[in-house]
Amino acid sequence: VQLQASGGGLVQAGGSLRLSCGASGRLFTNYAVGWFRQAPGKEREFVAAINWSGYNTRYADSVKGRFVISRDNAKNTLYLQMNSLKPEDTAVYYCATSPHSGSIYDDRYHYWGQGTLVTVSS
């Protein structure tokens, strides 16, 4: 599976962005997918995950209630709607696929996109 993340940019605190992750190659629907992020000088961390059907989701506590993960299997695309953004959300955001539904551990994800930068100004 090849993944391409997009939609990052500069936004003011309190604003919104929607990230997209397009997939090609092996059947996208075979995999759970997730978003991770890595801020400057910090380790990569889990943000959200969704199972193959889209019915089960999981979120990091830091984004729960503000971010929504979704997928459109007909379009082979994963989304992350980010609302009420905070400066601490500033990071490079990565999408990834996993055979393990709902995993928060990045070593459970096998295919990774190149990342898209989100910068939230205060």
Side-chain angles (χ1 to χ4, degrees), residues 1 4 9 13 61 80 98 104-105 121:
V1 178
Q4 180 79 28
D61 288 343
L80 185 68
S98 174
I104 65 172
Y105 302 107
S121 63

Side-chain angles (χ1 to χ4, degrees), residues 37-57:
R37 67 186 182 186
Q38 187 167 21
K42 295 188 177 182
E43 293 187 352
R44 187 164 56 191
E45 65 175 1
F46 169 77
V47 176
I50 189 167
N51 77 327
W52 69 272
S53 68
Y55 286 112
N56 293 315
T57 58

Side-chain angles (χ1 to χ4, degrees), residues 84-98:
S84 302
L85 282 161
K86 304 175 181 180
E88 51 264 43
D89 294 319
T90 295
V92 177
Y93 284 71
Y94 299 91
C95 54
T97 64
S98 174

Side-chain angles (χ1 to χ4, degrees), residues 6-7 10-11 14 31 53 72 74 80 83 97 108 112 115 121-122:
S6 62
L10 175 64
V11 63
Y31 298 98
S53 68
D72 186 336
L80 185 68
N83 302 318
T97 64
R108 295 293 186 97
W112 290 80
S121 63
S122 57

